[in-house]
Amino acid sequence: MLIKKIKWLFPILIMVPLFCMNGTSVHAKNSSFKSPPLDHAGKSYIGAQDPSYLNYDLALRDYMVYRINKHFGITLDPKTYSGFDLLEIEALFKCKKKEEPFDLFLNMFPKSR
């Protein structure tokens, strides 16, 4: 009798995690949960002048400017900094002390474009 119960328990234990993983992957495909830079995930680029890379960098800059504005209330121009500079700026803003001004960190990055 115990063997019959265990026989049915094993498939259930396998199905429940698989169902849960499948449910979360459906939500990940929804565009409202996905950030624009992730549209370029897994792609490789020939160089910095590759049009695909320029599209990725623009999406990254726009998204990072939005996030910095949302979290810290600082409005930055996406044309002023590169996407990777904006990633570093956000990381520094997260580490800064309350009394430190934001300009102290922004002066560390060369303005481009």
Side-chain angles (χ1 to χ4, degrees):
M1 195 70 167
L2 182 63
I3 294 176
K4 288 184 179 182
K5 288 181 182 181
I6 292 175
K7 186 170 121 179
W8 287 105
L9 184 63
F10 183 72
I12 291 172
L13 290 176
I14 297 296
M15 296 289 281
V16 169
L18 289 175
F19 179 73
C20 292
M21 286 188 294
N22 190 22
T24 57
S25 67
V26 169
H27 291 295
K29 293 176 186 174
N30 189 347
S31 62
S32 66
F33 292 111
K34 204 163 93 171
S35 66
L38 288 179
D39 292 339
H40 302 275
K43 295 181 181 175
S44 59
Y45 307 104
I46 296 171
Q49 300 304 320
D50 185 3
S52 297
Y53 175 77
L54 295 175
N55 289 337
Y56 161 70
D57 189 50
L58 179 62
L60 178 62
R61 285 186 278 141
D62 289 340
Y63 183 69
M64 290 309 301
V65 164
Y66 165 76
R67 274 183 33 170
I68 290 170
N69 187 10
K70 181 180 171 187
H71 292 289
F72 303 105
I74 303 297
T75 304
L76 298 174
D77 183 16
K79 296 176 184 171
T80 306
Y81 303 99
S82 74
F84 295 108
D85 285 345
L86 289 167
L87 286 167
E88 287 185 59
I89 289 170
E90 182 190 34
L92 288 171
F93 283 178
K94 287 180 180 179
C95 297
K96 83 173 202 62
K97 297 176 185 171
K98 285 186 178 183
E99 65 271 1
E100 292 178 320
F102 288 104
D103 292 338
L104 178 69
F105 296 99
L106 293 175
N107 292 334
M108 294 169 45
F109 294 91
K111 296 184 178 184
S112 59
R113 295 184 183 125

